[in-house]
């Protein structure tokens, strides 16, 4: 009888640990924003240093990920004429393409509600087309718009949050304090 009581007490004592181990982890929160300048990013996000780093990252990627055209006329058919200029990629390849008009900032937010307890921000360049739409690189290199993905983001607005985990998502506004 003593052994069964001891065993029962031992099992009851370890049960909370077993149940805690089976709980799902806190969802990852990703904040995305489209900004046309470091200043507007800093106003929305509340962190000038993060915005400056994101802008520099996007600027370094811009020529390598920009839509590439062999002639100015082909570029001007899809992008504003004043933005179609001759550029060089990091490997030295010359092409005609649009200038970076803005940048996307994606941040992995931590579980604390203080705001910017994030990992290094991820940034990518943004290009504005003739239809006043915004495009971002989709990772598939190609001539023209083939390597671009259209986005419906509104520039210079408060960031939206996407919370991961089991298909759930939510949006919210940051107060940028």
């Amino acid at each position: 009888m003593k052994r069964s009581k001891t065993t029962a007490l031992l099992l009851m004592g370890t049960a909370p640990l077993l149940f805690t181990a089976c709980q799902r982890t806190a969802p990852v929160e990703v904040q995305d924003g489209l900004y046309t300048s470091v200043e507007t990013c800093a106003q929305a996000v509340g962190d000038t240093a993060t915005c400056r780093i994101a802008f520099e990252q996007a600027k370094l990627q811009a020529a390598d990920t920009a839509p590439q055209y062999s002639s100015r006329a082909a570029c001007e058919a899809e992008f504003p004429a004043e933005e179609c200029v001759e550029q060089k990629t990091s490997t030295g390849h010359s092409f005609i393409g649009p200038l970076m008009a803005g940048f996307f900032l994606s941040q992995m937010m931590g579980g604390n509600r203080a705001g910017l307890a994030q990992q290094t921000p991820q940034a990518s360049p943004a290009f504005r087309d003739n239809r006043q739409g915004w495009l971002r690189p989709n990772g598939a290199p190609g001539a023209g718009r083939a390597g671009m993905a259209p986005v419906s983001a509104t520039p210079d607005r408060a960031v939206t949050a996407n919370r991961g985990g089991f298909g759930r998502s939510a949006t919210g506004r940051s107060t940028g304090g």
Side-chain angles (χ1 to χ4, degrees), residues 145-167:
R145 291 174 60 133
M148 296 283 113
V151 293
S152 60
T154 303
D156 304 327
R157 298 211 31 191
V159 291
T160 58
N162 298 323
R163 292 171 184 86
F166 299 106

